[in-house]
């Protein structure tokens, strides 16, 4: 691990790979916050999500939808530093060629939820990251709706399944994913080093 990370406190996402986790622990790393991975197979047709969803991808970028995408993320996460410039940098990067942002709207036309889905290649699992519901619109089923929309988008992109991982302490998030047809898998941890 020398030379890969700077000295001092660090954290790594090492949720899989027993040998790597063992190496980390023998090197003084300790288990950190538990996370809950979830997965939904995309064999059967995904049901309608029940809300209007606008899609942004590398070939379909509309300024108003981008603004809504950024606003929802900022209102979903208390310490978000996401900006239009950061969205544009993400969208311009090569990995975004296999990604889409979805923005969900309520009946009044307000942007209420957003998610980015990432598809590797056809027949492989796809990823939801990040997914958020605007703090002013929680408790109305929009989290479940945008999660179902994300699964449908990944299915359309050829993904075999949809995967997501959220802190286990996010009980509402875990429940939302389960309500959208995701199966909860055993908890995993990241690893941290104090110094």
């Amino acid at each position: 691990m020398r030379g890969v990370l700077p000295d001092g406190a660090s954290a790594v996402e090492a949720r899989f790979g027993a040998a790597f986790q063992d190496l980390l622990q023998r090197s003084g790393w300790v288990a950190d916050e538990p996370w809950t991975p979830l997965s939904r197979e995309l064999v059967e047709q995904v049901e309608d999500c029940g809300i209007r969803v606008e899609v942004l991808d590398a070939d379909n970028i509309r300024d108003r939808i981008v603004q809504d995408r950024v606003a929802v993320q900022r209102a979903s996460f208390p310490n978000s530093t996401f900006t239009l410039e950061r969205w544009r940098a993400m969208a311009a990067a090569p990995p975004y060629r296999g990604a889409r942002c979805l923005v969900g709207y309520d009946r009044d036309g307000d942007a209420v939820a957003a998610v980015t889905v990432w598809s590797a290649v056809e027949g492989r699992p796809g990823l939801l990251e990040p997914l958020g519901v605007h703090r002013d619109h929680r408790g109305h089923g929009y989290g479940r709706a945008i999660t179902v929309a994300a699964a449908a988008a990944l299915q359309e992109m050829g993904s075999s399944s949809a995967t997501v991982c959220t802190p286990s302490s996010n009980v509402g998030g875990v429940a939302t994913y389960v309500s959208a047809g995701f199966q909860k898998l055993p908890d995993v941890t990241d690893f941290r080093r104090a110094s």
Side-chain angles (χ1 to χ4, degrees), residues 98-102 115-119 127-129 149-151 153-154 157:
R100 293 180 184 167
C101 286
L102 311 177
V115 63
T116 301
V117 295
W118 305 86
S119 179
L127 175 69
L128 288 66
E129 175 62 31
L154 286 169
M157 296 165 77

Side-chain angles (χ1 to χ4, degrees), residues 51-54 72 102-106 110-115 142 146:
I51 62 171
R52 178 172 66 93
V53 175
E54 296 291 338
V72 168
L102 311 177
V103 182
Y105 293 85
D106 67 8
D110 294 325
V112 295
V115 63
Y142 298 129
I146 201 72

Side-chain angles (χ1 to χ4, degrees), residues 13-34:
E13 186 176 294
R15 298 181 186 147
F16 307 99
F20 182 55
Q21 292 172 351
D22 182 58
L23 174 65
L24 287 171
Q25 289 174 327
R26 285 188 285 120
S27 299
W29 291 72
V30 296
D32 201 13
E33 177 181 21

Side-chain angles (χ1 to χ4, degrees), residues 1 47 76 94 96 106 118 124 132 145 169 175 180 190 192:
M1 300 302 277
E47 68 273 21
S76 297
Y96 196 74
D106 67 8
W118 305 86
R124 302 294 305 265
S169 61
D190 290 344
R192 65 179 166 78

Side-chain angles (χ1 to χ4, degrees), residues 47-53 102 104 112-113 115 131 133 140-151 176 179-180:
E47 68 273 21
D48 181 75
C49 71
I51 62 171
R52 178 172 66 93
V53 175
L102 311 177
V112 295
V115 63
L131 182 146
V133 175
H140 301 285
Y142 298 129
R144 181 190 182 286
I146 201 72
T147 301
V148 170
T176 295
S179 76

